[in-house]
Amino acid sequence: MYEGIVQELIDELGRLPGIGPKSAQRIAFHILQTESVDVSRLAELLTQIKERVRFCEICGNVSEEDTCTICRDPRRNAQTICVVEEAKDVVAIERTREFRGLYHVLGGAISPIDGIGPDDLRIKQLLQRLADGTVTEVIIATDPNLEGEATATYLTRMLQQPGLRVTRLASGLPVGGDLEYADEVTLGRAFEGRRVVE
Amino acid sequence: MIVRHLSLVDFRNYETAEVELHPGANLFVGRNGQGKTNLVESIGYLSTLSSHRVPSDQAMIRSGADAAIIRARLQHGDRQLLVEAQLNRSGPNRAQVNRGAVKPRELSRYVSSVLFAPEDLALVRGEPSGRRRFLDGVLVQRNPRLSGVLSDYERSLRQRNMLLKSARASGLKNAPLSTLDIWDERLIEFGSELMAARSELVAELEPHTRLAYAAIAGDSHDATLSMQFSVLDSARDDDEGLHEEAVRHGAIDRALAASWFSEALERSRRQELERAITLVGPHRDDLVLTLNGLPARGYASHGESWSFALALKLATAEVLRQHSTAGDPIIVLDDVFAELDASRRERLTEAIEGYEQVLITAAVFDDVPAPLAAHTVHIDSGRIVEAS
């Protein structure tokens, strides 16, 4: 145990995701040894992030204004919406530069253990976005785990309406990997999702 | 497969241990509490990633140490393999095969073993949960992919139970019910696969069990295996007892299991909402052992129960042997001979004769039939005293 404020900082850092007691201690001592300008900048960012960052009123992505840069961009294809669990997933898909449509961030996945039901996710907002018929395809890109699949099933049910195509991201083999090293579950999924080559 | 050499570091009571092992029988002799079982437990751990004695890995790390290491040099036919597992007190465990990192659960592809222990009697006389654990353990060894299905089923079950609880708390009429269908679907998807896989395994084990029973007991009693499916059971309120109408002999396919499951969920929905728990599914199934048509649990004598337990384990070894591309599973007999009478000792010795490697622990040297005592190691307070 360290004295007063040092220990308090370590405890506080240790509550962050992915940081254990040892890392928390390392970070705390790093801060102690860092120039105070750098520390103030970090401190300022930490206070500002809560004040300045909001969530996009349309898609739920993180934004500094009422709507996010993607929703504001007129070049994006407004007929396709990709549904993801978290804002982090938007960044991941944007990196591919393959998708030019819009997003919808649910804010999690259905998980009764964590007390998250459909009403806790931004599903109602999604249905509202679909109401005017502009959107012709919804791509469900929830995580390929138990809760993500459950959420995808739920969404599929809710989105049954004429003129709307609902698709799910494929699961399968990682690109650049070796077939022999793929685990059975992934390989099994890849078999299920195989397609005819023209 | 054969374990050529076993090294332990900070495992149980061993600071370090180096043991040279031989093809065929290897006997570890020592008074109780000296560390015989710990040696064979380490090999069991490599093949199942769990101990037959404790539910948590922590107990296997020597007190005061941060990590335990199990290192085994194996021989699969002509192929040599170095398999290592590191059990960490904090943080995830690690595994290596030939010095290359692998996921710990991959280890069971390289090491397979069948453990016989005094606790096996509970397979015949104990609770259904022990028999489910036994079947699931063999399933995963035979087909590692099923460990994913098992954990997905368990998680779906927990999610669904939680949903039922919150539905009950909110007065049964609110929104959570709409997602119950979603979790039913997940439960049925994984549950039907588990039911089909278990029934297929039981059908595969049965002929071997029948033969092994006859060989061990030396009588003509007919040993049979079937599954009792809770989804077919109308009196599903307890996990106990035999319900004839729910017992099925032979393998069932996944589609059939799924249709039983979804009908059962529909039938029991009202009751499940009242009780806020999932009442039907493979988590409530049982493996039914019968001897001449009578349930072994309740009717079999002590000797017959032992014969049945040994027969199940011998059948397991035979099934794993047939599925393996890496040779026979390692047979581990942990303190078993002390429990058996002279004739069963002899017949068990004959039954395991053909296996590539057999590891035996005993407190009393004379309990072990002579053919198994060719390579004997004495153990005293965590030290390998003398190898002959």
Side-chain angles (χ1 to χ4, degrees):
Chain A
M1 285 289 277
Y2 296 92
E3 275 182 38
I5 189 165
V6 181
Q7 187 62 43
E8 261 176 63
L9 178 63
I10 293 174
D11 291 344
E12 221 35 61
L13 289 169
R15 280 165 53 182
L16 299 174
I19 297 186
K22 277 183 187 164
S23 307
Q25 183 175 318
R26 200 176 316 135
I27 296 168
F29 277 90
H30 176 81
I31 289 173
L32 278 178
Q33 286 160 359
T34 309
E35 303 259 349
S36 33
V37 233
D38 291 334
V39 178
S40 331
R41 204 174 52 233
L42 175 65
E44 202 170 319
L45 279 178
L46 287 177
T47 42
Q48 281 188 6
I49 192 164
K50 272 310 236 184
E51 287 163 13
R52 281 181 30 199
V53 173
R54 287 175 284 173
F55 294 95
C56 170
E57 284 171 359
I58 300 170
C59 72
N61 193 8
V62 286
S63 169
E64 285 191 43
E65 293 175 37
D66 289 341
T67 52
C68 71
T69 48
I70 295 173
C71 288
R72 284 201 309 267
D73 188 342
R75 289 167 304 171
R76 308 280 310 200
N77 173 2
Q79 291 178 321
T80 331
I81 292 182
C82 178
V83 181
V84 296
E85 291 181 17
E86 310 280 350
K88 291 180 290 196
D89 304 328
V90 172
V91 179
I93 295 174
E94 278 300 283
R95 269 203 306 265
T96 68
R97 294 169 194 263
E98 289 288 330
F99 180 66
R100 298 299 300 162
L102 301 172
Y103 291 94
H104 193 84
V105 180
L106 291 173
I110 297 175
S111 173
I113 291 174
D114 303 306
I116 301 175
D119 293 347
D120 303 302
L121 303 174
R122 302 180 66 258
I123 292 173
K124 213 175 291 164
Q125 289 89 327
L126 176 63
L127 294 174
Q128 281 162 9
R129 286 180 76 182
L130 301 176
D132 68 358
T134 318
V135 178
T136 54
E137 179 176 3
V138 172
I139 303 167
I140 302 176
T142 51
D143 291 342
N145 56 24
L146 182 64
E147 289 76 17
E149 294 290 355
T151 310
T153 314
Y154 184 81
L155 283 176
T156 316
R157 296 270 160 81
M158 301 295 288
L159 298 178
Q160 290 309 322
Q161 46 179 276
L164 183 67
R165 201 155 84 105
V166 180
T167 54
R168 174 96 175 98
L169 280 198
S171 319
L173 296 170
V175 175
D178 285 320
L179 194 72
E180 56 170 314
Y181 293 124
D183 67 279
E184 294 94 339
V185 181
T186 307
L187 204 49
R189 283 287 192 84
F191 261 93
E192 272 174 41
R194 70 187 184 277
R195 58 195 163 79
V196 179
V197 281
E198 304 288 335
Chain B
M1 65 192 65
I2 295 162
V3 182
R4 282 288 175 179
H5 188 95
L6 177 69
S7 334
L8 301 176
V9 178
D10 291 326
F11 184 88
R12 291 275 189 189
N13 64 332
Y14 293 98
E15 211 175 305
T16 60
E18 300 288 334
V19 195
E20 215 51 64
L21 295 165
H22 305 268
N26 293 264
L27 173 62
F28 302 102
V29 181
R31 282 178 295 116
N32 289 324
Q34 305 299 307
K36 310 180 294 287
T37 296
N38 299 348
L39 280 182
V40 295
E41 180 185 34
S42 70
I43 290 168
Y45 184 87
L46 292 178
S47 74
T48 61
L49 289 189
S50 65
S51 154
H52 64 289
R53 299 152 83 197
V54 286
S56 134
D57 293 353
Q58 295 294 320
M60 284 178 275
I61 304 168
R62 195 171 68 93
S63 81
D66 288 331
I69 296 169
I70 308 167
R71 192 174 287 133
R73 217 170 67 230
L74 298 175
Q75 191 180 333
H76 293 176
D78 294 332
R79 189 173 170 216
Q80 298 271 348
L81 279 173
L82 182 67
V83 175
E84 294 168 89
Q86 180 175 334
L87 286 64
N88 292 317
R89 201 172 286 284
S90 58
N93 295 340
R94 282 208 289 245
Q96 287 193 332
V97 173
N98 285 341
R99 301 281 178 198
V102 296
K103 287 185 193 132
R105 67 183 167 84
E106 300 270 307
L107 284 181
S108 57
R109 292 165 185 279
Y110 301 93
V111 191
S112 107
S113 71
V114 177
L115 174 89
F116 295 65
E119 295 83 18
D120 289 348
L121 196 57
L123 282 179
V124 183
R125 302 192 143 185
E127 302 298 312
S129 60
R131 285 182 288 278
R132 288 193 293 267
R133 218 169 23 246
F134 158 70
L135 285 179
D136 295 345
V138 184
L139 276 182
V140 171
Q141 278 212 50
R142 200 183 58 151
N143 181 358
R145 188 180 69 83
L146 287 170
S147 73
V149 175
L150 267 170
S151 62
D152 279 341
Y153 179 75
E154 275 156 27
R155 191 158 169 90
S156 305
L157 185 63
R158 279 199 299 146
Q159 291 280 25
R160 190 174 186 274
N161 285 341
M162 192 55 83
L163 190 63
L164 287 169
K165 269 198 198 85
S166 61
R168 184 171 67 172
S170 65
L172 301 186
K173 47 190 174 290
N174 281 344
L177 279 179
S178 64
T179 51
L180 199 53
D181 291 338
I182 306 296
W183 292 107
D184 285 1
E185 237 171 80
R186 296 270 89 78
L187 203 67
I188 292 168
E189 180 186 344
F190 302 119
S192 61
E193 184 163 11
L194 192 54
M195 286 158 68
R198 280 181 184 164
S199 73
E200 190 193 318
L201 173 65
V202 168
E204 202 180 332
L205 283 171
E206 191 185 40
H208 300 296
T209 308
R210 187 176 278 144
L211 285 174
Y213 184 89
I216 294 287
D219 61 39
S220 56
H221 289 349
D222 188 23
T224 57
L225 305 178
S226 352
M227 283 302 295
Q228 174 169 309
F229 294 105
S230 67
V231 293
L232 295 177
D233 200 345
S234 48
R236 60 197 164 269
D237 239 13
D238 58 293
D239 201 19
E240 290 287 305
L242 191 68
H243 302 272
E244 292 287 353
E245 83 275 15
V247 176
R248 289 289 181 283
H249 189 252
I252 57 158
D253 71 17
R254 204 175 153 184
L256 182 61
S259 72
W260 289 348
F261 205 163
S262 75
E263 281 163 26
L265 284 174
E266 210 166 292
R267 269 203 314 275
S268 46
R269 174 146 297 195
R270 203 177 51 84
Q271 212 184 346
E272 289 191 331
L273 284 167
E274 275 166 23
R275 305 260 311 268
I277 192 154
T278 304
L279 294 167
V280 291
H283 62 291
R284 291 251 174 140
D285 288 351
D286 195 2
L287 167 65
V288 180
L289 317 175
T290 54
L291 211 48
N292 281 346
L294 291 171
R297 187 188 186 193
Y299 286 93
S301 70
H302 186 75
E304 286 168 338
S305 298
W306 256 116
S307 298
F308 215 138
L310 293 173
L312 270 177
K313 286 302 179 82
L314 287 167
T316 303
E318 191 52 44
V319 164
L320 290 179
R321 176 193 245 173
Q322 287 179 0
H323 280 272
S324 162
T325 50
D328 300 348
I330 300 155
I331 305 291
V332 179
L333 303 172
D334 187 17
D335 264 331
V336 171
F337 285 104
E339 307 278 335
L340 305 178
D341 58 35
S343 62
R344 280 191 182 81
R345 282 178 190 172
E346 229 165 85
R347 292 186 188 122
L348 177 61
T349 308
E350 279 168 31
I352 56 171
E353 209 180 8
Y355 283 88
E356 287 177 333
Q357 190 171 45
V358 182
L359 310 178
I360 305 134
T361 73
V364 181
F365 181 82
D366 291 337
D367 283 349
V368 180
L372 298 179
H375 296 285
T376 303
V377 173
H378 291 270
I379 311 233
D380 191 13
S381 323
R383 274 170 206 289
I384 317 297
V385 179
E386 150 206 337
S388 59

